[in-house]
mmCIF file of all heavy atoms in Angstrom:
data_model
loop_
_atom_site.group_PDB
_atom_site.id
_atom_site.type_symbol
_atom_site.label_atom_id
_atom_site.label_comp_id
_atom_site.label_asym_id
_atom_site.label_seq_id
_atom_site.Cartn_x
_atom_site.Cartn_y
_atom_site.Cartn_z
ATOM 1 N N GLY A 827 27.856 -6.836 35.450
ATOM 2 C CA GLY A 827 27.588 -6.091 36.675
ATOM 3 C C GLY A 827 27.449 -4.596 36.423
ATOM 4 O O GLY A 827 26.605 -3.929 37.021
ATOM 5 N N PHE A 828 28.265 -4.076 35.526
ATOM 6 C CA PHE A 828 28.165 -2.658 35.171
ATOM 7 C C PHE A 828 26.806 -2.356 34.550
ATOM 8 O O PHE A 828 26.146 -1.388 34.902
ATOM 9 C CB PHE A 828 29.291 -2.278 34.213
ATOM 10 C CG PHE A 828 29.273 -0.828 33.823
ATOM 11 C CD1 PHE A 828 29.695 0.135 34.705
ATOM 12 C CD2 PHE A 828 28.835 -0.452 32.567
ATOM 13 C CE1 PHE A 828 29.674 1.478 34.346
ATOM 14 C CE2 PHE A 828 28.816 0.875 32.199
ATOM 15 C CZ PHE A 828 29.232 1.850 33.092
ATOM 16 N N GLY A 829 26.376 -3.215 33.640
ATOM 17 C CA GLY A 829 25.064 -3.025 33.012
ATOM 18 C C GLY A 829 23.929 -3.112 34.013
ATOM 19 O O GLY A 829 22.991 -2.311 33.988
ATOM 20 N N GLY A 830 24.005 -4.061 34.925
ATOM 21 C CA GLY A 830 22.979 -4.193 35.956
ATOM 22 C C GLY A 830 22.964 -3.010 36.900
ATOM 23 O O GLY A 830 21.899 -2.540 37.315
ATOM 24 N N GLY A 831 24.150 -2.506 37.238
ATOM 25 C CA GLY A 831 24.224 -1.329 38.101
ATOM 26 C C GLY A 831 23.635 -0.095 37.445
ATOM 27 O O GLY A 831 22.963 0.707 38.098
ATOM 28 N N MET A 832 23.876 0.059 36.169
ATOM 29 C CA MET A 832 23.300 1.189 35.444
ATOM 30 C C MET A 832 21.781 1.070 35.357
ATOM 31 O O MET A 832 21.065 2.063 35.438
ATOM 32 C CB MET A 832 23.898 1.287 34.039
ATOM 33 C CG MET A 832 25.371 1.648 34.021
ATOM 34 S SD MET A 832 25.743 3.197 34.845
ATOM 35 C CE MET A 832 24.967 4.345 33.753
ATOM 36 N N LEU A 833 21.304 -0.131 35.207
ATOM 37 C CA LEU A 833 19.867 -0.354 35.133
ATOM 38 C C LEU A 833 19.192 0.059 36.430
ATOM 39 O O LEU A 833 18.113 0.669 36.416
ATOM 40 C CB LEU A 833 19.585 -1.831 34.828
ATOM 41 C CG LEU A 833 18.139 -2.213 34.572
ATOM 42 C CD1 LEU A 833 17.637 -1.524 33.314
ATOM 43 C CD2 LEU A 833 18.026 -3.705 34.419
ATOM 44 N N ASP A 834 19.813 -0.245 37.570
ATOM 45 C CA ASP A 834 19.245 0.140 38.861
ATOM 46 C C ASP A 834 19.151 1.653 39.010
ATOM 47 O O ASP A 834 18.271 2.153 39.715
ATOM 48 C CB ASP A 834 20.088 -0.432 40.011
ATOM 49 C CG ASP A 834 19.823 -1.903 40.248
ATOM 50 O OD1 ASP A 834 18.843 -2.422 39.701
ATOM 51 O OD2 ASP A 834 20.606 -2.523 40.991
ATOM 52 N N LEU A 835 20.049 2.385 38.374
ATOM 53 C CA LEU A 835 20.018 3.844 38.462
ATOM 54 C C LEU A 835 19.043 4.474 37.484
ATOM 55 O O LEU A 835 18.387 5.464 37.802
ATOM 56 C CB LEU A 835 21.421 4.407 38.197
ATOM 57 C CG LEU A 835 22.499 4.029 39.209
ATOM 58 C CD1 LEU A 835 23.851 4.535 38.727
ATOM 59 C CD2 LEU A 835 22.174 4.591 40.570
ATOM 60 N N ILE A 836 18.949 3.927 36.303
ATOM 61 C CA ILE A 836 18.164 4.553 35.240
ATOM 62 C C ILE A 836 16.684 4.173 35.295
ATOM 63 O O ILE A 836 15.808 4.999 35.048
ATOM 64 C CB ILE A 836 18.763 4.181 33.868
ATOM 65 C CG1 ILE A 836 20.152 4.792 33.738
ATOM 66 C CG2 ILE A 836 17.870 4.639 32.730
ATOM 67 C CD1 ILE A 836 20.921 4.312 32.531
ATOM 68 N N MET A 837 16.388 2.937 35.641
ATOM 69 C CA MET A 837 15.008 2.445 35.551
ATOM 70 C C MET A 837 14.010 3.233 36.399
ATOM 71 O O MET A 837 12.923 3.564 35.905
ATOM 72 C CB MET A 837 14.952 0.957 35.895
ATOM 73 C CG MET A 837 13.605 0.333 35.594
ATOM 74 S SD MET A 837 13.004 0.586 33.909
ATOM 75 C CE MET A 837 14.196 -0.293 32.971
ATOM 76 N N PRO A 838 14.281 3.559 37.669
ATOM 77 C CA PRO A 838 13.283 4.341 38.427
ATOM 78 C C PRO A 838 12.981 5.696 37.791
ATOM 79 O O PRO A 838 11.829 6.137 37.785
ATOM 80 C CB PRO A 838 13.922 4.507 39.809
ATOM 81 C CG PRO A 838 14.885 3.400 39.924
ATOM 82 C CD PRO A 838 15.393 3.147 38.534
ATOM 83 N N THR A 839 13.985 6.340 37.233
ATOM 84 C CA THR A 839 13.774 7.630 36.582
ATOM 85 C C THR A 839 12.891 7.480 35.352
ATOM 86 O O THR A 839 11.958 8.262 35.142
ATOM 87 C CB THR A 839 15.125 8.253 36.179
ATOM 88 O OG1 THR A 839 15.946 8.332 37.342
ATOM 89 C CG2 THR A 839 14.946 9.615 35.572
ATOM 90 N N VAL A 840 13.163 6.465 34.554
ATOM 91 C CA VAL A 840 12.363 6.234 33.350
ATOM 92 C C VAL A 840 10.914 5.907 33.721
ATOM 93 O O VAL A 840 9.975 6.440 33.126
ATOM 94 C CB VAL A 840 12.985 5.098 32.504
ATOM 95 C CG1 VAL A 840 12.066 4.689 31.376
ATOM 96 C CG2 VAL A 840 14.333 5.526 31.965
ATOM 97 N N LEU A 841 10.736 5.043 34.714
ATOM 98 C CA LEU A 841 9.380 4.666 35.114
ATOM 99 C C LEU A 841 8.606 5.831 35.719
ATOM 100 O O LEU A 841 7.417 6.008 35.433
ATOM 101 C CB LEU A 841 9.427 3.508 36.112
ATOM 102 C CG LEU A 841 9.843 2.162 35.527
ATOM 103 C CD1 LEU A 841 9.972 1.123 36.634
ATOM 104 C CD2 LEU A 841 8.854 1.695 34.486
ATOM 105 N N ALA A 842 9.252 6.631 36.559
ATOM 106 C CA ALA A 842 8.576 7.782 37.152
ATOM 107 C C ALA A 842 8.184 8.796 36.091
ATOM 108 O O ALA A 842 7.092 9.380 36.145
ATOM 109 C CB ALA A 842 9.465 8.427 38.206
ATOM 110 N N THR A 843 9.047 9.002 35.111
ATOM 111 C CA THR A 843 8.739 9.929 34.021
ATOM 112 C C THR A 843 7.573 9.403 33.188
ATOM 113 O O THR A 843 6.667 10.157 32.833
ATOM 114 C CB THR A 843 9.971 10.138 33.124
ATOM 115 O OG1 THR A 843 11.039 10.622 33.934
ATOM 116 C CG2 THR A 843 9.685 11.126 32.009
ATOM 117 N N ALA A 844 7.573 8.108 32.904
ATOM 118 C CA ALA A 844 6.500 7.519 32.109
ATOM 119 C C ALA A 844 5.176 7.522 32.859
ATOM 120 O O ALA A 844 4.113 7.700 32.253
ATOM 121 C CB ALA A 844 6.868 6.098 31.707
ATOM 122 N N ALA A 845 5.219 7.337 34.181
ATOM 123 C CA ALA A 845 3.986 7.289 34.971
ATOM 124 C C ALA A 845 3.373 8.666 35.141
ATOM 125 O O ALA A 845 2.157 8.790 35.304
ATOM 126 C CB ALA A 845 4.269 6.678 36.337
ATOM 127 N N GLY A 846 4.186 9.704 35.139
ATOM 128 C CA GLY A 846 3.677 11.057 35.331
ATOM 129 C C GLY A 846 3.628 11.421 36.806
ATOM 130 O O GLY A 846 3.782 10.580 37.690
ATOM 131 N N PRO A 847 3.374 12.690 37.090
ATOM 132 C CA PRO A 847 3.405 13.161 38.471
ATOM 133 C C PRO A 847 2.363 12.503 39.381
ATOM 134 O O PRO A 847 2.607 12.288 40.557
ATOM 135 C CB PRO A 847 3.121 14.656 38.351
ATOM 136 C CG PRO A 847 3.368 15.018 36.934
ATOM 137 C CD PRO A 847 3.170 13.767 36.136
ATOM 138 N N ALA A 848 1.220 12.170 38.853
ATOM 139 C CA ALA A 848 0.150 11.610 39.690
ATOM 140 C C ALA A 848 0.485 10.207 40.194
ATOM 141 O O ALA A 848 0.090 9.839 41.305
ATOM 142 C CB ALA A 848 -1.152 11.581 38.898
ATOM 143 N N LEU A 849 1.188 9.416 39.410
ATOM 144 C CA LEU A 849 1.474 8.028 39.787
ATOM 145 C C LEU A 849 2.940 7.782 40.152
ATOM 146 O O LEU A 849 3.313 6.644 40.414
ATOM 147 C CB LEU A 849 1.087 7.091 38.635
ATOM 148 C CG LEU A 849 -0.399 7.049 38.288
ATOM 149 C CD1 LEU A 849 -0.631 6.188 37.064
ATOM 150 C CD2 LEU A 849 -1.207 6.539 39.461
ATOM 151 N N ALA A 850 3.745 8.829 40.188
ATOM 152 C CA ALA A 850 5.174 8.657 40.452
ATOM 153 C C ALA A 850 5.425 8.025 41.817
ATOM 154 O O ALA A 850 6.290 7.165 41.971
ATOM 155 C CB ALA A 850 5.901 9.989 40.344
ATOM 156 N N GLY A 851 4.671 8.413 42.829
ATOM 157 C CA GLY A 851 4.840 7.844 44.162
ATOM 158 C C GLY A 851 4.542 6.359 44.203
ATOM 159 O O GLY A 851 5.264 5.579 44.834
ATOM 160 N N ARG A 852 3.497 5.950 43.525
ATOM 161 C CA ARG A 852 3.130 4.530 43.480
ATOM 162 C C ARG A 852 4.210 3.715 42.759
ATOM 163 O O ARG A 852 4.584 2.627 43.187
ATOM 164 C CB ARG A 852 1.787 4.358 42.786
ATOM 165 C CG ARG A 852 1.328 2.907 42.754
ATOM 166 C CD ARG A 852 -0.041 2.771 42.175
ATOM 167 N NE ARG A 852 -1.002 3.316 43.118
ATOM 168 C CZ ARG A 852 -2.294 3.436 42.885
ATOM 169 N NH1 ARG A 852 -2.775 3.069 41.722
ATOM 170 N NH2 ARG A 852 -3.096 3.924 43.787
ATOM 171 N N VAL A 853 4.710 4.261 41.668
ATOM 172 C CA VAL A 853 5.764 3.572 40.911
ATOM 173 C C VAL A 853 7.020 3.434 41.762
ATOM 174 O O VAL A 853 7.652 2.376 41.802
ATOM 175 C CB VAL A 853 6.063 4.323 39.594
ATOM 176 C CG1 VAL A 853 7.324 3.804 38.933
ATOM 177 C CG2 VAL A 853 4.891 4.203 38.648
ATOM 178 N N MET A 854 7.399 4.488 42.467
ATOM 179 C CA MET A 854 8.593 4.422 43.320
ATOM 180 C C MET A 854 8.395 3.419 44.456
ATOM 181 O O MET A 854 9.330 2.724 44.843
ATOM 182 C CB MET A 854 8.914 5.800 43.895
ATOM 183 C CG MET A 854 9.441 6.729 42.863
ATOM 184 S SD MET A 854 10.849 5.983 42.042
ATOM 185 C CE MET A 854 11.421 7.278 41.080
ATOM 186 N N GLY A 855 7.181 3.327 44.983
ATOM 187 C CA GLY A 855 6.900 2.329 46.011
ATOM 188 C C GLY A 855 7.057 0.912 45.489
ATOM 189 O O GLY A 855 7.629 0.047 46.161
ATOM 190 N N LEU A 856 6.571 0.662 44.290
ATOM 191 C CA LEU A 856 6.733 -0.663 43.688
ATOM 192 C C LEU A 856 8.196 -0.981 43.411
ATOM 193 O O LEU A 856 8.647 -2.105 43.627
ATOM 194 C CB LEU A 856 5.925 -0.757 42.396
ATOM 195 C CG LEU A 856 4.412 -0.856 42.565
ATOM 196 C CD1 LEU A 856 3.719 -0.751 41.211
ATOM 197 C CD2 LEU A 856 4.032 -2.139 43.258
ATOM 198 N N MET A 857 8.948 0.005 42.955
ATOM 199 C CA MET A 857 10.376 -0.215 42.708
ATOM 200 C C MET A 857 11.119 -0.478 44.013
ATOM 201 O O MET A 857 12.095 -1.214 44.040
ATOM 202 C CB MET A 857 10.991 0.986 41.982
ATOM 203 C CG MET A 857 10.531 1.127 40.546
ATOM 204 S SD MET A 857 10.804 -0.348 39.551
ATOM 205 C CE MET A 857 12.568 -0.427 39.532
ATOM 206 N N GLY A 858 10.634 0.112 45.102
ATOM 207 C CA GLY A 858 11.237 -0.140 46.405
ATOM 208 C C GLY A 858 11.048 -1.567 46.866
ATOM 209 O O GLY A 858 11.794 -2.064 47.711
ATOM 210 N N ILE A 859 10.066 -2.248 46.309
ATOM 211 C CA ILE A 859 9.844 -3.665 46.618
ATOM 212 C C ILE A 859 10.616 -4.552 45.644
ATOM 213 O O ILE A 859 11.262 -5.518 46.041
ATOM 214 C CB ILE A 859 8.333 -4.004 46.551
ATOM 215 C CG1 ILE A 859 7.593 -3.253 47.649
ATOM 216 C CG2 ILE A 859 8.103 -5.496 46.664
ATOM 217 C CD1 ILE A 859 6.087 -3.318 47.517
ATOM 218 N N VAL A 860 10.573 -4.223 44.380
ATOM 219 C CA VAL A 860 11.154 -5.065 43.337
ATOM 220 C C VAL A 860 12.683 -5.100 43.402
ATOM 221 O O VAL A 860 13.292 -6.171 43.306
ATOM 222 C CB VAL A 860 10.687 -4.594 41.941
ATOM 223 C CG1 VAL A 860 11.429 -5.318 40.839
ATOM 224 C CG2 VAL A 860 9.192 -4.790 41.801
ATOM 225 N N ILE A 861 13.312 -3.949 43.569
ATOM 226 C CA ILE A 861 14.776 -3.888 43.522
ATOM 227 C C ILE A 861 15.427 -4.747 44.611
ATOM 228 O O ILE A 861 16.359 -5.482 44.326
ATOM 229 C CB ILE A 861 15.271 -2.427 43.544
ATOM 230 C CG1 ILE A 861 14.946 -1.782 42.202
ATOM 231 C CG2 ILE A 861 16.760 -2.345 43.826
ATOM 232 C CD1 ILE A 861 15.282 -0.311 42.113
ATOM 233 N N PRO A 862 14.953 -4.725 45.870
ATOM 234 C CA PRO A 862 15.590 -5.606 46.865
ATOM 235 C C PRO A 862 15.269 -7.093 46.659
ATOM 236 O O PRO A 862 16.061 -7.957 47.023
ATOM 237 C CB PRO A 862 15.037 -5.135 48.203
ATOM 238 C CG PRO A 862 14.407 -3.828 47.959
ATOM 239 C CD PRO A 862 14.052 -3.775 46.519
ATOM 240 N N LEU A 863 14.114 -7.403 46.094
ATOM 241 C CA LEU A 863 13.730 -8.804 45.927
ATOM 242 C C LEU A 863 14.403 -9.477 44.736
ATOM 243 O O LEU A 863 14.602 -10.691 44.743
ATOM 244 C CB LEU A 863 12.214 -8.932 45.780
ATOM 245 C CG LEU A 863 11.407 -8.732 47.048
ATOM 246 C CD1 LEU A 863 9.920 -8.856 46.744
ATOM 247 C CD2 LEU A 863 11.805 -9.718 48.115
ATOM 248 N N ALA A 864 14.758 -8.717 43.720
ATOM 249 C CA ALA A 864 15.337 -9.312 42.516
ATOM 250 C C ALA A 864 16.625 -10.086 42.784
ATOM 251 O O ALA A 864 16.767 -11.214 42.301
ATOM 252 C CB ALA A 864 15.557 -8.229 41.461
ATOM 253 N N PRO A 865 17.583 -9.568 43.567
ATOM 254 C CA PRO A 865 18.795 -10.352 43.819
ATOM 255 C C PRO A 865 18.541 -11.600 44.666
ATOM 256 O O PRO A 865 19.336 -12.538 44.647
ATOM 257 C CB PRO A 865 19.717 -9.392 44.567
ATOM 258 C CG PRO A 865 19.159 -8.048 44.373
ATOM 259 C CD PRO A 865 17.714 -8.208 44.074
ATOM 260 N N ILE A 866 17.451 -11.613 45.392
ATOM 261 C CA ILE A 866 17.119 -12.785 46.210
ATOM 262 C C ILE A 866 16.403 -13.834 45.368
ATOM 263 O O ILE A 866 16.759 -15.012 45.370
ATOM 264 C CB ILE A 866 16.242 -12.371 47.409
ATOM 265 C CG1 ILE A 866 17.011 -11.421 48.325
ATOM 266 C CG2 ILE A 866 15.760 -13.592 48.174
ATOM 267 C CD1 ILE A 866 16.154 -10.728 49.348
ATOM 268 N N LEU A 867 15.391 -13.397 44.639
ATOM 269 C CA LEU A 867 14.563 -14.342 43.890
ATOM 270 C C LEU A 867 15.180 -14.757 42.555
ATOM 271 O O LEU A 867 14.902 -15.853 42.064
ATOM 272 C CB LEU A 867 13.181 -13.739 43.649
ATOM 273 C CG LEU A 867 12.367 -13.459 44.909
ATOM 274 C CD1 LEU A 867 11.033 -12.826 44.540
ATOM 275 C CD2 LEU A 867 12.156 -14.717 45.726
ATOM 276 N N GLY A 868 16.036 -13.919 41.970
ATOM 277 C CA GLY A 868 16.654 -14.234 40.681
ATOM 278 C C GLY A 868 17.468 -15.520 40.698
ATOM 279 O O GLY A 868 17.241 -16.415 39.877
ATOM 280 N N PRO A 869 18.418 -15.658 41.633
ATOM 281 C CA PRO A 869 19.190 -16.903 41.672
ATOM 282 C C PRO A 869 18.334 -18.133 42.011
ATOM 283 O O PRO A 869 18.593 -19.221 41.489
ATOM 284 C CB PRO A 869 20.224 -16.656 42.774
ATOM 285 C CG PRO A 869 20.370 -15.184 42.818
ATOM 286 C CD PRO A 869 19.011 -14.641 42.501
ATOM 287 N N ILE A 870 17.336 -17.943 42.835
ATOM 288 C CA ILE A 870 16.456 -19.076 43.161
ATOM 289 C C ILE A 870 15.697 -19.524 41.919
ATOM 290 O O ILE A 870 15.652 -20.711 41.595
ATOM 291 C CB ILE A 870 15.481 -18.695 44.291
ATOM 292 C CG1 ILE A 870 16.256 -18.455 45.586
ATOM 293 C CG2 ILE A 870 14.420 -19.773 44.486
ATOM 294 C CD1 ILE A 870 15.441 -17.854 46.697
ATOM 295 N N LEU A 871 15.122 -18.567 41.208
ATOM 296 C CA LEU A 871 14.389 -18.902 39.982
ATOM 297 C C LEU A 871 15.324 -19.490 38.932
ATOM 298 O O LEU A 871 14.982 -20.456 38.244
ATOM 299 C CB LEU A 871 13.694 -17.660 39.430
ATOM 300 C CG LEU A 871 12.863 -17.843 38.174
ATOM 301 C CD1 LEU A 871 11.748 -18.859 38.410
ATOM 302 C CD2 LEU A 871 12.286 -16.526 37.724
ATOM 303 N N GLY A 872 16.535 -18.945 38.821
ATOM 304 C CA GLY A 872 17.515 -19.500 37.886
ATOM 305 C C GLY A 872 17.864 -20.936 38.224
ATOM 306 O O GLY A 872 17.999 -21.783 37.339
#
């Protein structure tokens, strides 16, 4: 749980930095969809 919690904090920053200023908004929008869906779809897929 600690590792997963850290991932939720670090991943958007890493992705926004990698995408650059022009695509940072799009990346954050996608993360806004993925982060809430992962705890729902993960156990179902498992």
Side-chain angles (χ1 to χ4, degrees):
F828 181 75
M832 293 302 292
L833 186 64
D834 282 348
L835 296 174
I836 294 171
M837 190 53 65
T839 305
V840 171
L841 289 175
T843 302
L849 296 175
R852 182 175 289 175
V853 169
M854 289 306 188
L856 287 172
M857 290 305 295
I859 295 170
V860 172
I861 289 176
L863 286 179
I866 297 167
L867 297 178
I870 294 170
L871 181 60

